[in-house]
């Protein structure tokens, strides 16, 4: 019987825990955690992600600030915003929602964020600390996946994990985290990508597959070993005339077919996505408690 990992419910549970912690902070008269989000332009997906993040902050009792600018903002002006947020003592952590318009160098913006406030965990300081097993803000999506594996009691030690996709925000940090000597870790990891020669041969050896490619239904049942754990990170729009908005969201995994083989599988939507947002909240709480950098 395949277990469908309910990311939506897990995220709700974590939000209840966070709200309890915020209530304790309030009772103690301490400062309420405060997350700021910077949204540039009018990318519909970014807009909905940021809205979700701000709403989640409100649900757990955090303070939140949304800073919006249209896509014509100059790189210097955005760097000034980052600088102000770095200096603002009330802001514990902030994110600059990616992607940014083409005329803005994302790397430059990421480097300008104070690592102590980098709750997305994208700054090389945090990434390097993560790779060395030092306290750091973990990138939200891999952190959410670790939470899922832990809370569903999925054994990772000694397992063979195939991560498909090598992005800086999902695949690469995921491969590092799962190979680390840690409670959820100790996997033997294969990091597959667009130049991998025989992907099916790799995935068929996997006890755990993490798909972060961005191609609808890419992982098919013939690529999955019986009893594998399948985590689907992908969010892809496919046309669907039966939906009011004309499309529906699907993952990178052919869910219906892989469901019949996997021991555990995450749905899209309702799997990894909600966990990504709660991870950001968890990082913000850590930031407000100065847990990572003291
Ligand atoms: P990306 O778009 O930066 O990169 C895709 C990766 O897939 C690349 O590393 C590439 O090497 C690999 N790839 C492409 N074609 C391949 C092939 N034929 N075989 C093997 N590997 C191949 O990746 P990303 O930013 O990590 O996003 C991946 C997906 O995850 C997207 O659908 C994105 O929307 C989604 N995503 C979801 C969340 C969430 O919270 N659920 C968060 C981040 C990203």
């Amino acid at each position: 019987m395949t277990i469908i990992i309910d990311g939506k419910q897990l995220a709700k549970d974590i939000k209840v825990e966070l709200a309890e912690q915020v209530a304790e902070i309030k009772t103690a008269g301490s400062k309420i955690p405060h997350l700021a989000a910077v949204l540039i332009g009018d990318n519909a997906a970014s807009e909905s992600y940021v809205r979700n993040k701000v709403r989640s902050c409100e649900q757990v009792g955090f303070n939140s600030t949304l800073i919006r600018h249209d896509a014509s903002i100059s790189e210097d002006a955005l760097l000034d915003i980052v600088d102000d947020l770095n200096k603002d003592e009330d802001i514990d952590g902030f994110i600059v929602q990616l992607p940014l318009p083409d005329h803005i160098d994302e790397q430059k913006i990421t480097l300008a964020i104070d690592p102590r406030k980098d709750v997305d965990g994208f700054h090389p300081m945090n990434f390097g600390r993560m790779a060395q097993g030092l306290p750091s803000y973990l990138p939200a999506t891999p952190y959410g996946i670790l939470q899922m594996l832990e809370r569903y009691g999925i054994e990772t030690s000694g397992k063979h994990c195939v991560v498909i996709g090598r992005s800086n925000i999902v695949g690469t940090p995921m491969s590092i985290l799962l190979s680390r000597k840690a409670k959820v870790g100790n996997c033997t990891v294969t990091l597959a990508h667009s130049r991998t020669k025989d992907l099916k041969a790799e995935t068929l050896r996997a006890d755990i597959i993490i798909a972060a490619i961005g191609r609808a239904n890419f992982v098919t049942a013939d690529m999955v070993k019986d009893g594998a754990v399948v985590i689907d990170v992908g969010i892809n729009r496919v046309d669907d005339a039966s939906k009011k908005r004309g499309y529906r969201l699907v993952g990178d995994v052919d869910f219906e077919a892989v469901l019949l083989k996997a021991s555990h599988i995450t749905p899209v939507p309702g799997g990894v996505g909600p966990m990504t947002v709660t991870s950001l909240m968890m990082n913000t709480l850590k930031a407000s408690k100065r847990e990572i950098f003291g």
Side-chain angles (χ1 to χ4, degrees):
M1 178 64 183
T2 307
I3 294 172
I4 297 177
I5 297 179
D6 189 344
K8 219 168 154 182
Q9 185 57 47
L10 270 188
K12 270 189 198 158
D13 296 347
I14 293 173
K15 279 185 192 163
V16 169
E17 293 167 17
L18 288 171
E20 284 167 5
Q21 294 199 51
V22 175
E24 282 171 23
I25 290 170
K26 277 188 182 155
T27 308
S30 306
K31 188 188 152 313
I32 306 295
H34 189 169
L35 174 77
V38 181
L39 176 59
I40 305 298
D42 51 8
N43 177 309
S46 294
E47 191 130 348
S48 102
Y49 295 150
V50 170
R51 216 177 22 238
N52 212 343
K53 289 168 187 175
V54 171
R55 196 186 318 125
S56 298
C57 279
E58 287 161 5
Q59 284 169 352
V60 300
F62 288 2
N63 290 327
S64 66
T65 297
L66 174 59
I67 299 169
R68 294 197 67 147
H69 273 277
D70 61 46
S72 66
I73 189 172
S74 69
E75 187 177 271
D76 281 345
L78 181 53
L79 285 168
D80 285 343
I81 292 173
V82 168
D83 192 43
D84 287 345
L85 290 169
N86 283 339
K87 288 178 183 148
D88 187 333
E89 287 187 6
D90 199 64
I91 303 285
D92 297 298
F94 66 97
I95 59 156
V96 179
Q97 184 67 42
L98 303 180
L100 292 170
D102 289 344
H103 65 278
I104 298 177
D105 181 348
E106 287 184 356
Q107 177 77 356
K108 211 165 168 180
I109 303 298
T110 301
L111 283 171
I113 297 174
D114 183 336
R116 288 170 299 183
K117 295 193 176 189
D118 170 39
V119 285
D120 255 341
F122 293 166
H123 192 287
M125 166 84 90
N126 276 306
F127 201 94
R129 288 172 68 106
M130 172 198 71
Q132 293 194 345
L134 298 169
S136 65
Y137 297 116
L138 301 182
T141 302
Y143 188 17
I145 293 170
L146 293 184
Q147 289 289 319
M148 278 181 152
L149 296 171
E150 182 172 3
R151 288 176 183 244
Y152 269 80
I154 294 167
E155 181 60 77
T156 55
S157 182
K159 303 291 182 189
H160 183 203
C161 176
V162 174
V163 179
I164 318 173
R166 57 181 160 188
S167 73
N168 284 340
I169 61 167
V170 187
T172 297
M174 194 74 255
S175 70
I176 293 169
L177 287 165
L178 281 174
S179 61
R180 269 187 0 184
K181 190 172 178 179
K183 193 166 155 204
V184 185
N186 290 315
C187 284
T188 303
V189 178
T190 300
L191 181 55
H193 45 74
S194 52
R195 299 292 177 92
T196 298
K197 279 235 161 66
D198 186 353
L199 183 62
K200 184 174 165 184
E202 301 296 342
T203 56
L204 277 174
R205 294 192 298 127
D207 303 306
I208 302 171
I209 295 175
I210 301 191
I213 309 143
R215 288 173 67 170
N217 302 323
F218 181 84
V219 176
T220 46
D222 60 323
M223 295 168 71
V224 178
K225 179 170 87 171
D226 277 327
V229 174
V230 181
I231 308 289
D232 191 353
V233 183
I235 303 175
N236 309 290
R237 286 183 179 190
V238 295
D239 293 342
D240 186 342
S242 72
K243 302 277 177 206
K244 213 163 86 188
R245 54 189 180 181
Y247 68 88
R248 69 193 148 87
L249 296 179
V250 299
D252 288 346
V253 175
D254 180 0
F255 182 82
E256 299 302 334
V258 173
L259 179 69
L260 304 174
K261 292 185 102 176
S263 66
H264 297 74
I265 188 167
T266 63
V268 177
V272 174
M275 295 298 290
T276 297
V277 181
T278 50
S279 300
L280 181 67
M281 309 288 111
M282 289 166 76
N283 279 343
T284 304
L285 184 65
K286 286 182 181 173
S288 80
K289 292 181 170 176
R290 310 286 183 263
E291 264 181 35
I292 306 293
F293 290 90

